[in-house]
Amino acid sequence: MNRHLRIALIGLLIVAMPGTGIWLASPRTAAAVGRTLHLDKALTWVSGTPTTSSESNESFDESWEPVPDAFPPFNAPGSVVVEHSVGETPYPVAVTYTPSQVMRWAYERSPEGRLIESEIQAVMRAIDPKDKDACCAARLIRNVLSEVALARRADDATHAIVAYHKLIAANLAVTKIDEAIAIQDRLIAMSDEAERLELPDGDPLKLRQARLELLDLKSQQRFNGLKLRQELSRLTGRDEAEVALAIMIAPLPEQAPDVVAGEMVATALAQRHDLRAVAVLCRDLNSCNIDAARLLMGIVSPGVGLSLATAAKGLFSCLKDDPSDNDLNARRRQCSQLHESLKTIIRNETLQTVLDVRAVNKRLELMDQRIALTVERLDQTRGAVRLDESPVGSDLLVELELFELQGLRIGLQKDLALAMDNLDHVRSMPLP
């Protein structure tokens, strides 16, 4: 090694080593190391391997909470990770999500909507402004695909609010299961302490089996919540670490609002983007854009408009009686039929969804009556236990039954929220 090379290497080490120490001491690096440790902990729980030999799988399961960094890092454009600092180390802080925020983020992010809009831009850039027929076709493509893009954005917004409401239901279910487990533990303790208690269904083994079933339900809801948060991150483009801690603040609906079927259908027929796309297609269909219209028909209704112009002309020349019955007039009639058919479909979808909302609302009313009767039974049983007219612990069994009904009610509330989301979707309601 010559003298100049040795001097260069020594200088490189002098410059590089202090920089390495600074990098290792930086807050960003410390945060990355902390995230790695959290990820290792999460993966340890998922694998079922306890951290120490003295910990049982059951206690480890109950003490575990979702770790925000259990997902691979994903920093989407426009995402914000909220951080506070203690000393030099940042840590994530939970943020609140409203339904309107979630829908707006998904609407603006919509990958399919962006792709269609990019296609519109590509078509418009490729058109020769001096070619009148090409400009005529491009305008039709732009007007029709713009409505289709809005429909795709509305689809993604609906997917996001559905995931939002499902996540709220999963979190509420976990809370109710925890309360039921606490009651189950009291029953088990009483049964173990005194076999003399004549509890109905008070067999200790059976009680422990029921507790394990509750833990299984809790585990399912927890993982379901993690999946829904991952789905929300994908749909909205928010950072996964932020979504993992986000608090969904909107409650599930207690009852459905008044729904008038005729008004719902009228709103859907006026606002549905797919119907508006067909209406634009029928209105602007002309000889200068018939080829583009044929392709657009296949987009809004697969299988329509796929025949070639030459084949269509040859077929109509053989069958038509009126010389004016050319390909353009045939396509206009076909578009009109497509428009009327789609109106019928939209009307049916809207009426079906209205019935879904009403049906779930009726079931909620019946469930409230069942819960009210169970609460009355619980009060009577507690009074009987105090007077020694009923076995000790029988009131806890009724309380467990009450928790079960409350859990079923949460499921009905979720169904009502999803039915209302679907009703808003079939009507193409504007974002809140």
Side-chain angles (χ1 to χ4, degrees):
M1 184 181 295
N2 58 42
R3 178 173 176 272
H4 294 289
L5 183 57
R6 285 198 301 271
I7 294 175
L9 289 175
I10 293 172
L12 180 62
L13 289 174
I14 293 174
V15 173
M17 290 303 291
T20 304
I22 293 173
W23 181 83
L24 289 173
S26 67
R28 185 178 299 276
T29 305
V33 173
R35 284 195 294 268
T36 302
L37 294 176
H38 280 301
L39 178 59
D40 291 341
K41 181 179 178 181
L43 293 178
T44 301
W45 184 86
V46 172
S47 65
T49 304
T51 54
T52 63
S53 59
S54 61
E55 292 178 330
S56 66
N57 288 335
E58 181 177 313
S59 62
F60 195 72
D61 172 38
E62 294 183 63
S63 64
W64 176 83
E65 292 296 336
V67 179
D69 296 300
F71 300 127
F74 171 71
N75 296 317
S79 62
V80 177
V81 179
V82 180
E83 293 183 346
H84 285 183
S85 296
V86 176
E88 296 184 350
T89 303
Y91 64 94
V93 176
V95 296
T96 57
Y97 285 180
T98 65
S100 58
Q101 284 178 319
V102 168
M103 294 183 71
R104 175 64 62 181
W105 291 331
Y107 185 90
E108 294 174 351
R109 175 179 171 77
S110 178
E112 192 171 353
R114 288 184 177 184
L115 285 174
I116 295 174
E117 291 166 354
S118 298
E119 179 65 21
I120 295 173
Q121 295 176 3
V123 169
M124 299 305 293
R125 289 194 186 102
I127 294 301
D128 182 2
K130 297 180 181 179
D131 190 337
K132 293 183 179 180
D133 288 346
C135 291
C136 175
R139 283 193 296 269
L140 181 65
I141 292 173
R142 179 195 61 194
N143 295 339
V144 173
L145 290 187
S146 295
E147 293 292 341
V148 175
L150 292 175
R152 297 300 175 267
R153 288 185 177 276
D155 290 343
D156 286 335
T158 300
H159 294 328
I161 193 61
V162 165
Y164 182 96
H165 285 142
K166 286 183 177 180
L167 179 56
I168 293 175
N171 292 337
L172 290 175
V174 169
T175 301
K176 286 298 176 184
I177 292 171
D178 282 336
E179 295 174 356
I181 289 175
I183 299 297
Q184 197 78 30
D185 288 340
R186 290 174 59 187
L187 282 171
I188 293 173
M190 293 171 62
S191 181
D192 289 341
E193 181 181 355
E195 295 182 358
R196 61 180 177 79
L197 297 177
E198 299 177 358
L199 293 175
D201 297 329
D203 181 13
L205 294 179
K206 188 173 182 180
L207 291 172
R208 285 184 169 83
Q209 182 179 7
R211 187 180 189 278
L212 289 176
E213 292 174 357
L214 290 173
L215 287 174
D216 179 60
L217 288 175
K218 181 178 179 180
S219 177
Q220 292 179 35
Q221 294 296 337
R222 277 181 165 177
F223 278 101
N224 188 37
L226 289 176
K227 290 171 62 177
L228 290 168
R229 289 182 183 274
Q230 172 67 20
E231 181 72 0
L232 271 180
S233 176
R234 180 188 70 83
L235 289 168
T236 63
R238 312 300 291 179
D239 190 272
E240 289 175 343
E242 177 188 306
V243 178
L245 292 175
I247 300 173
M248 314 300 152
I249 61 176
L252 293 176
E254 294 290 337
Q255 61 181 6
D258 292 333
V259 177
V260 180
E263 294 179 1
M264 300 296 106
V265 171
T267 303
L269 294 177
Q271 297 184 161
R272 278 282 289 261
H273 292 293
D274 50 354
L275 184 61
R276 291 169 63 175
V278 175
V280 169
L281 179 60
C282 296
R283 182 195 66 199
D284 297 339
L285 179 58
N286 212 323
S287 57
C288 63
N289 54 30
I290 189 169
D291 291 335
R294 188 179 296 110
L295 296 176
L296 290 170
M297 283 186 185
I299 293 175
V300 297
S301 182
V304 177
L306 297 181
S307 62
L308 298 176
T310 53
K313 289 179 180 178
L315 178 63
F316 286 124
S317 65
C318 296
L319 300 178
K320 68 184 180 181
D321 296 326
D322 185 356
S324 64
D325 191 13
N326 54 22
D327 187 28
L328 176 60
N329 291 332
R331 289 302 179 188
R332 284 175 173 169
R333 287 199 305 272
Q334 186 182 39
C335 191
S336 178
Q337 293 170 359
L338 177 60
H339 187 263
E340 292 302 317
S341 175
L342 188 55
K343 286 175 62 177
T344 302
I345 292 173
I346 291 174
R347 180 181 182 275
N348 181 68
E349 287 180 352
T350 307
L351 292 177
Q352 292 287 323
T353 309
V354 168
L355 292 175
D356 288 340
V357 172
R358 291 177 177 174
V360 178
N361 193 56
K362 184 62 177 178
R363 294 183 64 194
L364 266 174
E365 293 176 359
L366 296 174
M367 179 59 69
D368 288 338
Q369 295 177 20
R370 293 178 62 186
I371 290 176
L373 291 175
T374 306
V375 170
E376 186 176 349
R377 281 179 51 215
L378 179 59
D379 292 338
Q380 293 176 354
T381 306
R382 284 173 175 170
V385 170
R386 286 193 296 268
L387 297 175
D388 293 332
E389 295 177 356
S390 184
V392 176
S394 57
D395 56 335
L396 297 181
L397 294 174
V398 180
E399 193 169 353
L400 280 176
E401 183 181 343
L402 178 61
F403 280 125
E404 181 181 359
L405 292 177
Q406 290 173 344
L408 293 175
R409 191 183 193 281
I410 292 173
L412 290 175
Q413 287 181 271
K414 180 196 70 173
D415 292 342
L416 178 58
L418 300 189
M420 293 170 61
D421 293 338
N422 193 27
L423 181 58
D424 288 340
H425 181 255
V426 298
R427 294 183 296 157
S428 288
M429 293 300 293
L431 297 183

